[in-house]
Structures are given as C-alpha cells and as structure tokens.
Amino acid sequence: MNILDRIVADKRLEVQRQKAVEPLSAFLKSCYMERPCVSLSCALAESPSGIIAEFKRRSPSKGWIHRNADVEKIVSAYQQNGAAASSILTDSAYFGGEVSDLSSVRAKVTLPLLRKEFVIDEYQIYQAKAIGADAILLIAAILDRETCRRFTTLAHALGLEVLLELHGPEELGYLDTEADVIGINNRDLTTFETRIEHSFDMIRHLPADKVCISESGISSPDTIKNLRQAGFRGFLMGENFMKDSCPGETLKKFLQQLNNEKDACQSLRNA
C-alpha cells in the first residue's frame, strides 16, 4: 500500500468509530446547519492575494511541523493579516488535526473555512456543515466520478462549496462534477513528492470560467506571480507559514513582499 492507500484505509475505520459515537442525527441539532456559508470561490476571485492560509500541525512526509499550534490564535491572525480564506486539517492520525479545530475557530473568524479532509463518506459532509465549514475538499484520487458527483450534489444541498482536487491529466474527466473551485495539487499523494511545475502543466486543461487554485510547494512571491499570470486565482499554502512560531506574522511579511513585487512591476510598466 502507498501512503494514500493507508490514509484512506485508516479513514474508513475512523469514520466507522465516529458514527458509533455521534450518529448523523446529532448533526441536525448544530446551530451551524442553518448558517449561510461564506463563498470560498467568491472570496478567492475578489482577493488581491488569493492565499488560502492553511492550519496543520504535522504531515506524513515532514512529521511534526508545529505540534502545539493554537488554531484559534493562528487562524484569527491569518484573517487579521490578509488571508483570503483558511484551510483547516481535521485529520488526526496523519496531520495532527481534530474535528473540533474547525468548530472552535468558526466563532472567531468570518473567513471562508475549508475543511481539509479525506472525504470518503457522506457522513463527513454533514459533519463539515455541522462544525461550521464553508467548503469541503473532494480528492479525485480517492473517489470515482459518480461518487464525486453525488458528494458534490449533497454538499451544495447543504450550502457548502466544493474544492475538487486533481493531480494528473487522467483525472480531467472529473471536471463535469460541478465543483465550485478546481485545485491542482503539486504533491503526488501516493509518494508525497512535490513538483510546482505540475500546476503550469495542468492549467491549460482547466475551464476558464472556474476559480482554479494551486496547492502545495508554494514558498515565494515570485511563484505566486507566475501562477497568477498562468491563470490561477488561489494559492493554498500551509507549511511555509506553520513552520514558524507565529504563522500569522509570517503571512503578513509574505504578503508585504508580494505587494512590493506588484508595485515594482507596475512601476516598470509605467516607466
């Protein structure tokens, strides 16, 4: 089994345990079930930076990145310092997250919150709505097209948006599943090898009427500038911020560098 196979196998067992503890009917009592969601796609389309600042404590490839990270403090700082949205890892075994991470920060911020999770069961979509998510991630590599379409329909019925994650050209058939945002993961989830050029290879195959984002391996303003010129409107960044003691401040400095480069380019065009 590769890494992704192990994650999915463990996720199936985890969801079974969660169902035994908290049945689906319990989610219907959540105050967030009637909450209007904030549009992730609109936030990215309107943002000058398009940065989805991610909260994660660890990863399968790097181990612990920020073991004792405080989700409320960090995501609040992301909002204060200019993030367009935030992605919250809720997987515990491989990423050090908790379902409660998203629900605890929901009352603290107005940013669109993406539940970053390996969704393999409808239960997790209802759960995402109940804990205050605005959008869910669906990964083509772990779902067949019909299941992906069915999950997207359910998410939309609950008011959630869907970020559809693709990696290779063989997954382009999933573009007909009506996702709101298309993401290209530069990381191969079977090996966790990262190649930023992957986004540039894939963008020409993506629909121009969809908000498209590049995920993983982004660490410099130059990369974002080049990705934006190629057609991307959003950029999911996690480790670049989370590896520092104050991720919000690191985001702030990154955005300052990005804005300085934009100003310099504008000055050259006007010269």
Side-chain angles (χ1 to χ4, degrees):
M1 296 176 74
N2 60 43
I3 299 173
L4 185 59
D5 290 335
R6 291 201 300 272
I7 291 174
V8 171
D10 288 341
K11 187 60 60 179
R12 295 191 188 283
L13 295 175
E14 178 186 311
V15 172
Q16 288 178 8
R17 292 193 295 269
Q18 289 178 343
K19 286 180 176 179
V21 173
E22 189 172 30
L24 192 60
S25 58
F27 297 146
L28 303 180
K29 301 175 184 178
S30 168
C31 63
Y32 293 127
M33 292 303 292
E34 300 300 323
R35 169 185 168 269
C37 292
V38 182
S39 172
L40 174 65
S41 58
C42 289
L44 293 175
E46 296 168 3
S47 170
S49 72
I51 290 180
I52 306 173
E54 187 159 84
F55 177 88
K56 67 177 178 181
R57 296 185 180 91
R58 73 184 301 268
S59 77
S61 58
K62 300 292 178 65
W64 288 104
I65 300 167
H66 199 146
R67 185 189 290 266
N68 298 314
D70 183 321
V71 66
E72 293 184 18
K73 181 178 179 181
I74 289 173
V75 178
S76 294
Y78 280 160
Q79 175 170 282
Q80 181 181 351
N81 290 309
S86 185
S87 167
I88 313 292
L89 263 299
T90 59
D91 175 82
S92 177
Y94 294 89
F95 290 89
E98 300 291 344
V99 172
S100 60
D101 284 336
L102 199 150
S103 58
S104 67
V105 80
R106 174 72 280 167
K108 305 293 184 182
V109 300
T110 57
L111 281 177
L113 297 181
L114 168 70
R115 185 190 185 187
K116 189 84 172 289
E117 181 58 271
F118 296 87
V119 175
I120 45 92
D121 193 290
E122 289 184 355
Y123 176 90
Q124 295 165 286
I125 304 175
Y126 284 100
Q127 186 182 49
K129 177 67 175 180
I131 61 177
D134 297 295
I136 61 167
L137 174 72
L138 295 181
I139 304 172
I142 63 175
L143 301 170
D144 61 60
R145 283 174 65 188
E146 183 52 41
T147 300
C148 189
R149 186 178 293 108
R150 178 164 52 85
F151 283 3
T152 300
T153 299
L154 173 58
H156 288 165
L158 293 173
L160 298 163
E161 288 193 345
V162 171
L163 165 57
L164 171 64
E165 181 178 288
L166 308 177
H167 180 68
E170 69 279 1
E171 295 169 347
L172 290 170
Y174 285 73
L175 290 173
D176 68 359
T177 57
E178 304 300 327
D180 304 279
V181 180
I182 307 300
I184 299 302
N185 196 345
N186 301 311
R187 180 171 291 124
D188 183 339
L189 291 178
T190 62
T191 63
F192 273 72
E193 197 173 296
T194 303
R195 178 176 167 270
I196 195 68
E197 291 79 14
H198 199 65
S199 281
F200 295 102
D201 295 339
M202 288 289 288
I203 187 64
R204 62 180 176 271
H205 301 296
L206 304 183
D209 63 339
K210 291 286 187 182
V211 172
C212 299
I213 73 168
S214 179
E215 310 170 34
S216 304
I218 303 170
S219 59
S220 79
D222 271 343
T223 300
I224 286 187
K225 180 185 69 175
N226 293 333
L227 287 167
R228 185 174 286 278
Q229 288 176 346
F232 288 97
R233 296 295 299 162
F235 315 94
L236 195 150
M237 300 177 62
E239 184 181 337
N240 193 66
F241 304 138
M242 290 298 301
K243 66 185 180 183
D244 291 335
S245 58
C246 297
E249 284 298 313
T250 307
L251 167 65
K252 181 179 179 179
K253 293 173 183 176
F254 186 91
L255 286 175
Q256 287 171 344
Q257 292 175 356
L258 185 61
N259 290 333
N260 288 341
E261 290 201 5
K262 285 182 182 177
D263 291 343
C265 290
Q266 186 63 45
S267 296
L268 286 174
R269 283 195 293 268
N270 294 337

